[in-house]
């Protein structure tokens, strides 16, 4: 099977490329390396280019035919999206449309899209299932929801079949420690807490202790990056066998507070992690927990790493490995 992985040099995309390689797929990676890393592409061919460049896309699709396209490339920082909406709508919507138009032009019919829990906004109920109202609170969430709606129209008009996978909090690292999270700047909780454990940072700031949760800190549903990969793999099988567009929420269904997460990091690392109590971060919902039963039922997906300690252990192994932080 020929798979085009757009954004395959980034955090989740690079894990997916390794996963597809292990399944015997022929993988082509398209990445502009704006935030991805060349050395994170462990198999397949890397084409360096940008979705803004429609001539480049023509060359990619003319040279090879693909059974499925997976799209991981996007701008992902919620706070940045509020101050730079133009960047987010261009990168996440306009450029995605270039990719979709190339697929229609070259008759590639299967698409898997990296969506997000941010499309739901402030939860009206929890755990959040697929039917939950979509009220994104920032340009990042809105850009992803726009693409989901565009995909419905492209299915109706052009027969392009898509699966949108709405990640809750992607976390952890390759259990073989070849890949991990390498964002610059890093904004995600687990790598920041682990950098406080390793001494790369002095402390972790907890954004708010006055939420309506048991210990006052925000609750999130952390899902191992490899479990996200297995869901993508099952999504490919579903597109091939059923040929239907579908949407799935992906999480473990277990919520952990920021304080609980810090406590697990202390246990796993054996380090004393300094904590500073800070103000709430704008736009953070108190609790985001997935109801992933549709993915379990319809895709046959079972997360393997439902234990937060295992997720943190893999992230810690990666954080502790020096080579994870060069280039
Ligand atoms: N947090 C801190 N201190 C930090 C960083 C984060 O207390 O230094 C807290 C946040 O306030 C939040 C939790 O840790 O409550 C998790 O924050 P992350 O930044 O790791 O993740 P988010 O939940 O904000 O974001 C994730 C994805 C986004 C997606 C969003 C959906 O990374 O892509 O979920 O709301 F949009």
């Amino acid at each position: 099977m020929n798979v085009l992985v757009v954004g395959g040099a980034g955090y989740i995309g690079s894990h997916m490329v390794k996963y597809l390689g292990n399944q015997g797929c022929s993988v082509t990676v398209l990445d502009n390396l704006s935030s991805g890393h060349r050395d994170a592409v462990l198999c397949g061919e890397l084409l360096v280019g940008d979705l803004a460049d429609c001539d480049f896309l023509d060359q990619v699709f003319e040279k090879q035919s693909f059974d499925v396209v997976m799209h991981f490339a996007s701008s992902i920082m919620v706070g940045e999206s509020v101050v730079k909406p133009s960047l987010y709508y261009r990168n996440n919507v306009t450029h995605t449309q270039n990719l979709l138009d190339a697929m229609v032009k070259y008759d590639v019919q299967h698409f898997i899209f990296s969506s997000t829990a941010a499309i739901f906004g402030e939860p009206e109920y929890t755990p959040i299932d697929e039917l939950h109202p979509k009220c994104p609170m920032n340009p990042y969430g809105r850009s992803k929801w726009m693409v989901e709606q565009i995909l419905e129209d492209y299915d109706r008009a052009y027969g392009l079949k898509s699966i949108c996978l709405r990640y809750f909090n992607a976390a952890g690292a390759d259990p073989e420690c070849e890949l991990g999270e390498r964002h610059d700047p890093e904004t995600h909780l687990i790598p920041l807490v682990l950098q406080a454990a390793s001494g790369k940072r002095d402390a972790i700031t907890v954004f708010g202790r006055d939420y309506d949760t048991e210990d006052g800190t925000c609750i999130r549903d952390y899902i191992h990056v490899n479990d996200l990969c297995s869901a993508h793999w099952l999504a490919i099988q579903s597109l091939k066998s059923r040929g239907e567009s579908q949407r799935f929420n992906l999480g473990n269904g277990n919520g952990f507070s920021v304080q609980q997460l810090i406590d697990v990091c202390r246990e796993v690392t054996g380090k004393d992690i300094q904590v500073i109590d800070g103000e709430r971060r704008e736009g953070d919902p108190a609790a985001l927990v997935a109801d992933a039963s549709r993915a379990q039922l319809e895709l046959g997906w079972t997360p393997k790493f439902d234990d937060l300690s295992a997720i943190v252990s893999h992230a810690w192994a990666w954080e502790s490995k020096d080579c994870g932080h060069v280039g």
Side-chain angles (χ1 to χ4, degrees), residues 98-116:
N98 291 346
L99 177 63
L100 296 176
D101 288 344
M103 289 180 65
V104 171
K105 183 170 170 185
Y106 293 94
D107 199 26
V108 181
Q109 281 163 0
H110 292 157
F111 185 66
I112 299 181
F113 179 59
S114 298
S115 189
T116 170

Side-chain angles (χ1 to χ4, degrees), residues 75-78 115-121 137-138 140-141 144 167-170 181 183 186-193 201 203-208 211 217-222 256-259 261-262 276 278-288:
S75 299
I76 60 163
M77 279 150 52
V78 171
S115 189
T116 170
I119 66 166
F120 297 108
M137 293 156 63
N138 46 62
Y140 168 70
K144 293 285 184 173
Y167 313 153
F168 279 60
N169 285 61
E181 211 162 344
H183 297 119
E186 188 51 77
T187 61
H188 294 107
L189 181 64
I190 293 180
L192 290 176
V193 176
R201 279 171 204 270
I204 179 73
T205 302
V206 173
F207 295 148
Y211 284 95
T217 65
C218 287
I219 291 175
R220 293 290 181 273
D221 182 341
Y222 297 93
F256 290 91
S257 72
V258 171
Q259 185 57 54
L261 186 276
I262 293 171
I276 297 170
E279 295 296 308
R280 285 185 178 201
R281 186 172 67 178
E282 207 186 324
D284 273 343
L288 284 175

Side-chain angles (χ1 to χ4, degrees), residues 71 73-74 88-97 99-100 111-115 119 140-154 162 164 247:
H71 183 25
S74 69
Y88 275 69
Y89 291 121
R90 192 171 330 107
N91 279 352
N92 295 0
V93 182
T94 312
H95 293 174
T96 299
Q97 210 191 337
L99 177 63
L100 296 176
F111 185 66
I112 299 181
F113 179 59
S114 298
S115 189
I119 66 166
Y140 168 70
R142 271 191 282 279
S143 70
K144 293 285 184 173
W145 177 229
M146 282 177 190
V147 172
E148 288 207 18
Q149 292 171 287
I150 289 171
L151 286 168
E152 278 181 30
D153 292 335
Y154 273 48
S162 64
C164 296
R247 280 88 187 92

Side-chain angles (χ1 to χ4, degrees), residues 18-267:
K18 178 175 175 180
Y19 193 101
L20 291 168
N22 287 342
Q23 302 293 332
C25 296
S26 163
V27 183
T28 303
V29 173
L30 194 164
D31 203 297
N32 65 7
L33 299 180
S34 63
S35 57
H37 305 267
R38 190 180 285 276
D39 63 2
V41 180
L42 297 183
C43 68
E45 184 187 9
L46 169 64
L47 306 175
V48 179
D50 204 291
L51 293 182
D53 184 349
C54 294
D55 293 335
F56 170 69
L57 283 175
D58 275 333
Q59 286 166 28
V60 171
F61 282 90
E62 261 161 25
K63 201 175 134 206
Q64 238 199 88
S65 65
F66 298 104
D67 300 294
V68 59
V69 174
M70 299 180 135
H71 183 25
F72 295 90
S74 69
S75 299
I76 60 163
M77 279 150 52
V78 171
E80 185 185 55
S81 79
V82 176
V83 291
K84 295 181 180 170
S86 168
L87 176 78
Y88 275 69
Y89 291 121
R90 192 171 330 107
N91 279 352
N92 295 0
V93 182
T94 312
H95 293 174
T96 299
Q97 210 191 337
N98 291 346
L99 177 63
L100 296 176
D101 288 344
M103 289 180 65
V104 171
K105 183 170 170 185
Y106 293 94
D107 199 26
V108 181
Q109 281 163 0
H110 292 157
F111 185 66
I112 299 181
F113 179 59
S114 298
S115 189
T116 170
I119 66 166
F120 297 108
E122 190 70 50
E124 288 182 14
Y125 58 85
T126 192
I128 299 170
D129 59 15
E130 287 78 4
L131 300 176
H132 187 286
K134 320 298 180 295
C135 300
M137 293 156 63
N138 46 62
Y140 168 70
R142 271 191 282 279
S143 70
K144 293 285 184 173
W145 177 229
M146 282 177 190
V147 172
E148 288 207 18
Q149 292 171 287
I150 289 171
L151 286 168
E152 278 181 30
D153 292 335
Y154 273 48
D155 183 356
R156 228 172 276 122
Y158 309 124
L160 191 148
K161 301 296 173 191
S162 64
I163 293 191
C164 296
L165 299 175
R166 296 142 176 186
Y167 313 153
F168 279 60
N169 285 61
D174 170 31
E176 291 163 0
C177 207
E178 291 187 293
L179 298 165
E181 211 162 344
R182 284 158 83 181
H183 297 119
D184 184 19
E186 188 51 77
T187 61
H188 294 107
L189 181 64
I190 293 180
L192 290 176
V193 176
L194 295 177
Q195 287 176 11
S198 72
K200 284 203 182 84
R201 279 171 204 270
D202 295 336
I204 179 73
T205 302
V206 173
F207 295 148
R209 284 196 182 270
D210 58 348
Y211 284 95
D212 186 16
T213 61
E214 209 162 297
D215 63 20
T217 65
C218 287
I219 291 175
R220 293 290 181 273
D221 182 341
Y222 297 93
I223 178 78
H224 196 288
V225 61
N226 266 28
D227 284 326
L228 293 179
C229 292
S230 67
H232 283 74
W233 178 248
L234 293 166
I236 295 181
Q237 311 313 318
S238 174
L239 279 174
K240 278 174 36 185
S241 59
R242 296 166 67 167
E244 270 174 25
S245 291
Q246 293 168 291
R247 280 88 187 92
F248 297 104
N249 293 355
L250 298 181
N252 271 311
N254 304 317
F256 290 91
S257 72
V258 171
Q259 185 57 54
Q260 285 174 323
L261 186 276
I262 293 171
D263 292 340
V264 169
C265 290
R266 284 187 173 130
E267 254 167 56

